[in-house]
Amino acid sequence: MFDVTLLPVLRELAERGSVTAVATATHRTPSAVSQQLQTLQRQVGVPLVERVGRGVRLTEHGRVLAGLATGVATAVATVEAAWQDHLGGSSGTVDLAIFPSAAELLLPGLLTRMREHPGIRLTLADVDVSEDGFAPLTGDHDVVVGHRPDGAPPADRAALETVPLLREPLDVALPLGHRLADRARVTIDDVVHETWIGVPRDYPIDRVLTAMAAATDTPPEVAFRTVHLPVIENLVAAGHGVALVPRSTSRTRAAGRFHLAELADVRAGRRIEALVRPDRAVRPAVRTVLEALVATATDVTT
């Protein structure tokens, strides 16, 4: 038998990769983290970590036990959630991380809905990362709103609960004086040779642009990259290039400034999803926020 309260530190090491990162995330010293790992290792009687250079990594035993730790944490959280329901329902703080263009679509409605739940305090983090960066954020936030291009989800989300929110088509934003600005639909061949205003590499919208280029064997000419959608729109409006932009978000600012054209020969879109660790997903307050997010997403797409 062993002390299951020591399992979270092993799980954190599996997800964060170093004792220092675990110490920072859990507000402990590296020495305290190492001592807890050593105690757990003695109790289970097999090596859980091994030295690699100046750091450590999990052994096969360690990886198996770290995976089981998620189930233990979820079981404990389920009991706590049931008890909270018994005592009167949802309360507490929920930490939500959301990227800016999703916040434009979802935050106003979400905050309005959360007024119906005064016992829940919603804290917000404005975070924009590459597609592969959203899953790791679930270690530090209760709910992470991320996005990805159409297609299979990244493998690193398999251990998370994923709540689909909406699919947002991507349109081509064109300057009003552009030769294609009178068209409702354009093809990849129409625009692939254009100068592009883009997002950073490996962001979901950039992966769509890369796939378009691969389909025509034409590397995109990207003049400027930024995570800020209004900056992209301003550059397009000023005639400095064209861009792939999310339809629902950009159309509120398009009138009289730039033209949005649908891509006719490709299904281009991004999927906005809420990512949650299983043990946090069972908390009543977190469930309430997720339900409000789903309802808000339904509103903005109907």
Side-chain angles (χ1 to χ4, degrees):
M1 298 297 294
F2 56 87
D3 184 356
V4 295
T5 64
L6 297 175
L7 288 177
V9 72
L10 189 69
R11 178 188 181 189
E12 292 292 339
L13 181 60
E15 295 189 1
R16 299 182 187 274
S18 74
V19 168
T20 300
V22 174
T24 300
T26 59
H27 308 290
R28 296 181 175 95
T29 65
S31 176
V33 171
S34 295
Q35 288 174 7
Q36 286 193 321
L37 288 170
Q38 291 167 9
T39 299
L40 181 60
Q41 189 165 255
R42 285 196 303 271
Q43 290 178 353
V44 300
V46 294
L48 300 176
V49 297
E50 58 187 0
R51 283 280 176 190
V52 179
R54 299 180 65 180
V56 298
R57 69 182 176 194
L58 295 181
T59 64
E60 181 180 355
H61 295 305
R63 289 191 294 273
V64 170
L65 191 56
L68 296 172
T70 298
V72 173
T74 303
V76 171
T78 300
V79 172
E80 292 174 345
W83 183 244
Q84 191 175 42
D85 280 338
H86 169 73
L87 294 178
S90 300
S91 64
T93 298
V94 177
D95 184 354
L96 170 69
I98 187 168
F99 63 97
S101 59
E104 285 189 58
L105 281 178
L106 300 174
L107 265 190
L110 173 64
L111 294 179
T112 298
R113 278 189 165 80
M114 292 310 297
R115 289 174 180 165
E116 301 173 9
H117 306 280
I120 299 176
R121 178 173 176 263
L122 189 64
T123 63
L124 303 172
D126 183 2
V127 181
D128 203 354
V129 294
S130 67
E131 181 183 352
D132 297 333
F134 287 107
L137 291 175
T138 58
D140 299 313
H141 304 278
D142 296 314
V143 180
V144 175
V145 176
H147 59 149
R148 60 178 176 86
D150 286 331
D156 63 355
R157 299 185 186 181
L160 301 174
E161 180 169 324
T162 300
V163 179
L165 298 176
L166 61 96
R167 179 188 181 273
E168 188 173 18
L170 298 178
D171 288 342
V172 179
L174 303 153
L176 292 181
H178 194 277
R179 60 184 173 82
L180 301 172
D182 61 344
R183 298 192 190 180
R185 307 177 80 198
V186 295
T187 67
I188 294 177
D189 287 336
D190 288 333
V191 296
V192 72
H193 295 287
E194 295 286 335
T195 298
W196 291 87
I197 311 299
V199 296
R201 290 180 176 85
D202 293 328
Y203 276 53
I205 292 177
D206 183 66
R207 292 191 172 178
V208 175
L209 179 59
T210 301
M212 289 169 54
T216 57
D217 198 25
T218 305
E221 180 186 341
V222 181
F224 184 71
R225 296 180 184 271
T226 177
V227 297
H228 300 292
L229 182 58
V231 173
I232 292 173
E233 295 167 347
N234 287 344
L235 290 172
V236 171
H240 295 296
V242 305
L244 282 175
V245 296
R247 178 182 299 168
S248 299
T249 312
S250 288
R251 68 184 172 190
T252 60
R253 295 185 290 265
R257 299 181 59 233
F258 54 90
H259 175 69
L260 293 178
E262 179 184 355
L263 274 168
D265 52 357
V266 63
R267 180 175 165 82
R270 66 173 182 176
R271 297 185 180 273
I272 299 178
E273 302 167 326
L275 308 176
V276 194
R277 278 184 170 186
D279 51 309
R280 293 179 180 175
V282 300
R283 287 178 49 205
V286 171
R287 292 201 309 267
T288 299
V289 171
L290 290 173
E291 290 165 2
L293 274 170
V294 170
T296 302
T298 299
D299 285 348
V300 301
T301 53
T302 56

